[in-house]
Structure formats: structure tokens, C-alpha cells
Amino acid sequence: MAIERTFSMIKPDATRRNLTGAITKMLEDAGLRVVASRRVWMSRRDAEGFYAVHKERPFFDELCEFMSSGPTVVQVLEGDNAIAKNREVMGATNPANADEGTIRKVHALSIGENSVHGSDAPETAAQEIRYWFSDTEIVG
Ligand code: CMP
């Protein structure tokens, strides 16, 4: 298996409920290592740029409003098969469809306020990491 890096966010619904540590522990328990981490209050522009791929979707406005409504913890995670592993531990986008024991099943409030984000493929992981971090901020 290949060592990979992926991008993760702990979203405002989770930081508001003081779940940064609880969620990070679930990631670490799944074998992922936090090699970069920063708490940011992103601007509406940051959110629109980050989620540009969704700009034609009906939920885009709501998504950008929510993501700029409070602090987010942006992270780079490293490990064997990190992209798939992170998606597995996050669970389905809609917490109603998430497997038992996943972050979204345990902590998410709704499809919009779903506590975490994780990259879905190597190309998006590289792009999303670059959006938030410079190489010198990532320490493996
Ligand atoms: P995320 O993995 O961050 O990627 C895009 C986000 O859009 C997704 O998680 C959800 O939080 C959000 N999203 C997807 N579908 C909807 C929806 N129908 N209504 C509101 N938000 C949504």
C-alpha cells in the first residue's frame, strides 16, 4: 500500500461543539497521522474558491455561508491509503446514510452541517492541500 496524503477539514458545526479533539482522535485511531493543522475562520471568498467545483449546485450559497460562519480546522493527513481511509472513517456525506461508528454518524447534524470534509481522489487531495498549506507547513 502506498503512503498518501489527503486534505481534511473539521467544519464549523463541529468546532462550535468543541469536537476538534474527539474528531482528530477518530482520525488518528484509524491510522491517519496529522502532519499539518491550522484553525482558520475562512472568508466567504475562501469558501467559494475552495468549493468552486460545486458553484452550479443548488446548495452552493448555503454551503459557503455555513463554511464562513465560524472556525474550521484544516489538516493534512498522512498514512497508508490515506484518501480512502479518511473517507471510510468520515462516513457518507449525509449522516442519515453513514455507517455506525463513522465520524458523520456519530457527530454530524445534517447533510450541510456534516462535521468533516475529506478529499475524494489524489488530484483533488493535491489541489486542496495546496489551497491551504505551503510545503514548509507540512511536517511528516
Ligand atoms: P463536503 O464533503 O464538504 O463536500 C461538499 C459539501 O456540500 C458536502 O460535504 C456537504 O456538506 C454539502 N452538501 C452536499 N449536498 C448538500 C445538500 N443537498 N444540501 C446542503 N449541503 C450539501
Side-chain angles (χ1 to χ4, degrees), residues 10 22 27 39 46-47 50-51 54-55 59-60 67 69 72 77 79 93-95 98 108 124:
I10 302 175
L27 298 169
R39 187 171 166 104
D46 288 335
F50 181 80
Y51 279 117
H54 294 306
K55 67 174 181 294
F59 56 81
F60 183 67
M67 290 303 296
S69 71
T72 289
L77 308 177
T93 303
N94 186 343
T124 43

Side-chain angles (χ1 to χ4, degrees), residues 9 11 50-51 54 57-60 62-63 66-67 87 90 93 104 110-118:
M9 294 195 288
K11 296 186 179 185
F50 181 80
Y51 279 117
H54 294 306
R57 309 286 283 273
F59 56 81
F60 183 67
E62 184 189 324
L63 173 62
F66 166 60
M67 290 303 296
R87 290 182 72 75
M90 284 194 305
T93 303
R104 284 167 170 161
S110 65
I111 191 168
E113 295 194 312
N114 65 351
S115 301
V116 281
H117 164 85

